[in-house]
Structure formats: structure tokens, C-alpha cells
Amino acid sequence: MVQDSLTSAAGRYAILVTGNLAAPLAEQYGNYADMFLKLLKDGDDETWDVYFVFEKDSPPDEVLANYECLVLTGSSADSFKDPDWNNQLRARLAAALKRQQRILGICYGHQIMARVLGGETGRASSFEGGPRTMKVTPAFFEQWFVKSDWFDKDRAEDWKFNIHETHQDVVTSMPPDVTLIASSGFTYCEAMTYKNIFLGLQGHPEFTAEFQTALIEYRLQQKTLTKQQAEESMTVLKENPVSHADFQQVQKMLKFFVRGH
């Protein structure tokens, strides 16, 4: 169990939404915060607050300090650019790290935390959509939030899991002092940790196959994906799906990290 120095924050969590879904998708599937609540929330005795940080100023440090863990969502914004809201958010996250506050970063959240920690992000060589297979590193099994009864350690050298992906940006330069815990054939830094208080994933554990399909179809209609990109993503979705076992194992790991026990 990881002891949180902010004992008054126990049972309180914040979702920092860094981007929004298009209205047709949000109407059917909810926004990113709704997806993370379904993924991570365990009961009514927990407090989950949502802040749309890309729309307005980030909550001040004294507000964010009242949470046990901060959850950063994905976004269509470029993680390597510096709009005012991004600059302010990164300053808030740097302060949270100094407080030893736990932070979970997903996709865009993973990338901006790489910048906070001294790394760099940029465009990938091409768009990546659909499930991808993560190959974990030996360091994965050494993490406090990876329980031995969830994973087959006898197969540690070749243990893999699938996760939904949709991104054009990646971590291009690893921050110092972070630990790489998963890579894929397309993206080197698929998952990383920092000093037991930060966990970042490039993929989207909050996505379902139904939502991923709808997202690909919508982006094709809006011409933000080419026909080839959409077809390749749909092929991967059908041929390399995220199994229920993969979803459950990743969900258990993330819930354990968020709560610290």
C-alpha cells in the first residue's frame, strides 16, 4: 500500500478533462469523464469531481491538493503545443508531483506528464487507431500496483495485453528518472511510471469496441481520417480485439493505483 501524505484527501479523486468529444458521440457515449467514472469509480462512498481544464483555468493548487489522485484524460489537442490552459495545467501538475500526489495520465495526459517530467512529445510517424498489443518490460512486474495474482508471472517474459488506441502524438524523448513498463510495435513509450506516484498509458483503457467503432466512423465522415486509416483501424479492431480479460486486468491495475491500495 502506498501511503498518501494528504490524508484528508482519502477517497477523493479528480478527473481533469483535457478535451471533449464531438456532440454526436457525447450524446450516445457520454464525455471522457463519464467513461472514466465507469472505468474507475467503485462506490457512492467515493467523491469524484470533474474539471474541464481545457475550457477554463485549472483549479488552483489548494483545490487540487484535496484529492488523493488526479486523472488526466485524452484530448484531440497537440500535446507539444503551448496554449495558456496547457501551460497552466502543467504548472499545477508539477506542484502535485512535489506534494507526492498520485497522477494517472491517459493518452494526452500521459504525454503532457512526459513534458512535466522533462521529456518531449511530437508527431508519430503515422496515425495509430484500433487495439494494439502492449509488450510489458520486466520492470512492469516490479511495480507496487501490479499484483502477482492478476498476472501469470511464469509468462513474465512474453506477457502482453491489448488496449484501444487512437493518437497521432507520442512521447518522443523519455523523461529522466521514469521507468518504461510497456512498449508496442508502433509506439516505444506505451506506459511509464515515475517514483511510485505517476502512471501513464498511451492507450485508452476507458474505450469500448463499440465506442472505438463509432469514433472511427465519425472521424471518417468528418474527413479527419483518410479512408485508408479508417479501414486499417477497423481491421485491427476486428482482428486484434481487446479481450474481456485484458480489460479487467488493466481496470484492476488502474483502480489499485488510483486508490493506493
Side-chain angles (χ1 to χ4, degrees):
M1 175 178 177
V2 173
Q3 297 294 329
D4 197 311
S5 61
L6 303 169
T7 55
S8 63
R12 292 174 52 84
Y13 312 98
I15 299 175
L16 307 183
V17 182
T18 61
N20 220 343
L21 290 174
L25 293 171
E27 288 172 6
Q28 185 170 357
Y29 299 100
N31 59 34
Y32 286 126
D34 297 322
M35 294 180 187
F36 277 100
L37 288 171
K38 289 180 182 178
L39 179 73
L40 299 174
K41 188 176 181 180
D42 253 351
D44 292 337
D45 57 334
E46 297 178 347
T47 297
W48 286 81
D49 293 328
V50 177
Y51 300 96
F52 293 89
V53 296
F54 70 100
E55 293 181 338
K56 54 186 177 182
D57 292 345
S58 297
D61 290 335
E62 56 267 29
V63 171
L64 291 180
N66 291 320
Y67 297 101
E68 192 172 349
C69 183
L70 308 178
V71 179
L72 297 164
T73 74
S75 173
S76 61
D78 294 326
S79 61
F80 51 85
K81 293 184 178 178
D82 298 312
D84 290 344
W85 70 267
N86 183 299
N87 292 334
Q88 186 182 72
L89 177 60
R90 283 187 283 119
R92 299 282 192 265
L93 296 172
L97 288 175
K98 289 182 180 179
R99 293 192 295 268
Q100 298 292 299
Q101 211 167 358
R102 286 192 304 284
I103 301 172
L104 172 63
I106 301 299
C107 194
Y108 183 87
H110 164 81
Q111 294 164 14
I112 62 167
M113 279 300 298
R115 293 188 63 190
V116 170
L117 291 164
E120 297 178 1
T121 65
R123 281 281 188 262
S125 58
S126 63
F127 171 77
E128 184 175 21
R132 292 297 189 272
T133 299
M134 306 296 102
K135 176 67 172 68
V136 303
T137 69
F140 174 83
F141 295 96
E142 300 170 2
Q143 305 306 309
W144 65 266
F145 49 83
V146 177
K147 294 186 67 177
S148 60
D149 57 337
W150 297 344
F151 304 94
D152 184 359
K153 283 204 171 186
D154 292 336
R155 296 182 56 225
E157 291 186 0
D158 65 349
W159 197 83
K160 304 175 177 68
F161 65 91
N162 284 2
I163 193 168
H164 291 288
E165 303 239 356
T166 176
H167 64 98
Q168 296 185 95
D169 300 345
V170 293
V171 176
T172 55
S173 177
M174 293 286 287
D177 302 321
V178 302
T179 300
L180 180 74
I181 60 173
S183 292
S184 70
F186 184 86
T187 300
Y188 175 71
C189 183
E190 287 282 5
M192 62 181 174
T193 64
Y194 173 77
K195 294 186 177 180
N196 293 331
I197 56 173
F198 167 65
L199 170 60
L201 300 178
Q202 179 57 66
H204 286 273
E206 78 279 17
F207 280 13
T208 64
E210 180 184 355
F211 173 75
Q212 178 83 295
T213 300
L215 181 62
I216 294 167
E217 291 174 346
Y218 178 81
R219 288 180 172 171
L220 177 61
Q221 292 170 2
Q222 298 299 308
K223 298 183 179 181
T224 56
L225 287 184
T226 66
K227 183 178 180 181
Q228 181 180 352
Q229 289 172 329
E231 288 177 347
E232 290 175 351
S233 298
M234 293 296 284
T235 297
V236 174
L237 187 59
K238 293 175 181 177
E239 295 182 354
N240 191 44
V242 176
S243 70
H244 186 60
D246 282 348
F247 173 83
Q248 285 190 316
Q249 285 176 315
V250 173
Q251 182 184 43
K252 285 179 183 178
M253 179 179 72
L254 298 184
K255 284 186 173 184
F256 197 77
F257 175 84
V258 165
R259 288 162 185 79
H261 58 84

